[in-house]
Amino acid sequence: GLRERRSSGRYCVGVDDPFAQAVVADAERISGTLSVRSHIRLRPPRPLGFAIVALVLACMSFLVPAGLLKSTEAKESTKQSVEREQTHVAVKRQLDAVRQMAESTPALAEFTDDLAGLEKFSGEKLERPTDIRHEAVKKIDKLEDAVKQKLAGEKYEAVPEMRKLLRGLKSPSSAEAPTEKLNQALSKGDFKAAKEEVQALREQLATLKSEEDKELVEKMSKQLADLAKQLEQLAKDEQLAQKLEQLGIKKEDLERMLEKLSKADLDQLKKQLEEKGLSQQQIEKMAKQLQQKQAAGATAKKLAKAMKQSASASQAGQTSEAIEGLQQAGEQLSELEQLEQEMNQLDATASALQDAKQNLDKPCPS
């Protein structure tokens, strides 16, 4: 298997994949154990035998047609040219599919230049089909990393954590309560449905006229106040707070970090956790949890504030102020819905890039 090992090893040189690196190491190990002398014994030829061989070769050269070698070389060149063209077509087809999807995805607008340069291979002209595919895979890898990095950005962290937080909401005692559907939508993490329910409450408040409507306003006000109170309570995340307090984090520092988290706060937190003997993995996990909780908590507090404003204004008979509070709540839910859509788009793009790499074939498939 020497030929296959050395061939695979040459293709895998420079590839970061652990399996590819293992193939290179195996090829080097096997090659190092071989001795040329044990396979090819070199002996000086006898003069007579050498003369006869030289004469036979000279005679054979006159028997070979002049155009035969050139014809063979031409056929080989044509074959390589066809393979290169087929490879370019295959690569272009995969990259075009990625580009078309990205052009219809608003969340990928910042990657326009990267997408436009996918087919522009740097360096000298690539001749071998495997080199063409490998260069395309490297470019897709780079774009995939950029997409994943954006997906892990701070502004998206609040969305999944917010959905988890909202599961703790309790519905009103009455199934016919004005905010029942809103509560259900929020507890399911359905930001679009929740936004539509807030809009329905706004329209309901805007059309209230009769004396009988006062009772409905009073119920709505009470339930919005209760919803705001629940959101504020959920935003505190007592479980994480207790865990950090047990590790020596002061309560006042923790409250400040949950309200507004800075890079200096995170660095200080990591330092304190390291002094407590936590591993680097545990420290990073704890810091990530705090970032996510803080982002979701801040969003929940903003939503609670808008609900509370609407509840207070409704109680005082200030309909326009109550509608404005619901308007703010609707805008926040719309923002969460937009962020969730962008996350789904980025996820779909990362998946499409992964598929494109697989279709292009890796230099050393596992």
Side-chain angles (χ1 to χ4, degrees):
L2 177 62
R3 181 170 58 183
E4 289 78 12
R5 279 176 162 151
R6 286 179 55 82
S7 175
S8 299
R10 287 176 61 83
Y11 281 124
C12 292
V13 170
V15 180
D16 293 332
D17 182 73
F19 182 83
Q21 293 174 359
V23 170
V24 175
D26 179 67
E28 291 175 346
R29 180 180 62 81
I30 293 299
S31 298
T33 61
L34 295 177
S35 172
V36 176
R37 286 186 176 183
S38 64
H39 294 274
I40 302 176
R41 297 187 180 278
L42 301 178
R43 296 177 181 175
R46 296 177 181 179
L48 180 60
F50 177 77
I52 293 174
V53 171
L55 180 61
V56 171
L57 290 175
C59 293
M60 288 180 64
S61 65
F62 289 102
L63 298 176
V64 177
L68 181 61
L69 294 178
K70 292 184 178 180
S71 175
T72 302
E73 292 176 357
K75 288 181 180 179
E76 185 65 25
S77 177
T78 302
K79 180 181 178 182
Q80 292 178 355
S81 178
V82 170
E83 288 180 353
R84 282 198 303 271
E85 184 61 28
Q86 290 175 342
T87 302
H88 275 298
V89 171
V91 168
K92 187 176 186 303
R93 182 167 57 247
Q94 292 298 324
L95 298 182
D96 282 346
V98 172
R99 188 181 298 104
Q100 288 172 8
M101 183 192 70
E103 286 174 352
S104 61
T105 305
L108 298 174
E110 65 190 80
F111 299 116
T112 302
D113 293 339
D114 296 312
L115 290 164
L118 281 176
E119 292 181 17
K120 298 176 182 177
F121 298 146
S122 59
E124 58 188 37
K125 186 178 179 181
L126 301 173
E127 294 291 337
R128 296 193 305 173
T130 50
D131 292 338
I132 297 170
R133 291 175 182 273
H134 182 59
E135 187 69 15
V137 168
K138 286 198 298 184
K139 285 182 170 291
I140 293 176
D141 260 332
K142 184 178 179 181
L143 180 57
E144 184 183 11
D145 289 341
V147 171
K148 289 181 177 179
Q149 186 176 0
K150 180 176 181 179
L151 190 56
E154 186 177 342
K155 73 173 184 176
Y156 296 112
E157 290 181 342
V159 179
E161 197 62 36
M162 186 68 176
R163 296 185 68 175
K164 188 189 299 183
L165 179 150
L166 290 172
R167 292 175 193 163
L169 281 177
K170 297 178 181 178
S171 297
S173 55
S174 173
E176 298 179 358
T179 61
E180 168 65 16
K181 291 182 179 179
L182 173 59
N183 274 65
Q184 288 181 356
L186 287 173
S187 62
K188 293 177 182 177
D190 190 340
F191 302 123
K192 181 180 179 181
K195 179 186 69 175
E196 292 172 352
E197 289 303 323
V198 167
Q199 176 63 23
L201 291 176
R202 286 179 58 218
E203 293 173 357
Q204 197 171 16
L205 278 176
T207 57
L208 296 178
K209 295 179 180 179
S210 65
E211 192 69 24
E212 296 177 357
D213 293 334
K214 289 183 178 180
E215 184 179 352
L216 179 61
V217 172
E218 188 175 334
K219 285 182 180 180
M220 187 184 299
S221 174
K222 183 178 179 180
Q223 288 162 10
L224 286 173
D226 179 68
L227 182 56
K229 185 177 179 180
Q230 287 193 67
L231 287 169
E232 288 177 338
Q233 187 65 32
L234 291 171
K236 293 179 180 179
D237 195 355
E238 299 292 345
Q239 187 176 0
L240 178 63
Q242 289 176 3
K243 187 183 296 184
L244 288 172
E245 284 180 28
Q246 290 172 359
L247 290 169
I249 309 300
K250 294 180 181 179
K251 187 175 182 180
E252 55 269 25
D253 290 340
L254 182 58
E255 289 176 353
R256 187 189 72 254
M257 286 189 286
L258 286 173
E259 187 67 31
K260 187 176 181 181
L261 187 63
S262 66
K263 186 180 183 300
D265 288 328
L266 271 179
D267 292 340
Q268 181 62 28
L269 174 69
K270 291 179 180 180
K271 184 179 179 181
Q272 288 179 264
L273 294 178
E274 187 176 2
E275 290 172 354
K276 290 293 180 180
L278 272 70
S279 67
Q280 193 61 37
Q281 185 178 3
Q282 290 173 320
I283 292 172
E284 291 298 331
K285 182 179 179 181
M286 193 74 71
K288 188 70 173 178
Q289 283 181 342
L290 182 60
Q291 283 180 296
Q292 292 173 339
K293 298 292 184 184
Q294 191 276 330
T299 303
K301 286 176 182 176
K302 286 173 62 178
L303 191 58
K305 183 179 179 181
M307 297 286 186
K308 188 182 289 186
Q309 176 184 332
S310 181
S312 300
S314 298
Q315 191 73 25
Q318 300 169 339
T319 305
S320 59
E321 286 80 357
I323 292 175
E324 183 181 349
L326 288 174
Q327 172 69 23
Q328 293 176 8
E331 290 172 357
Q332 290 166 25
L333 290 168
S334 181
E335 183 179 347
L336 285 168
E337 180 192 3
Q338 178 64 29
L339 287 173
E340 188 172 44
Q341 288 177 353
E342 289 182 10
M343 288 179 66
N344 292 336
Q345 291 170 355
L346 292 171
D347 270 331
T349 301
S351 178
L353 291 171
Q354 185 66 31
D355 290 343
K357 287 195 301 181
Q358 291 177 354
N359 291 335
L360 285 172
D361 291 334
K362 293 183 179 180
C364 187
S366 56

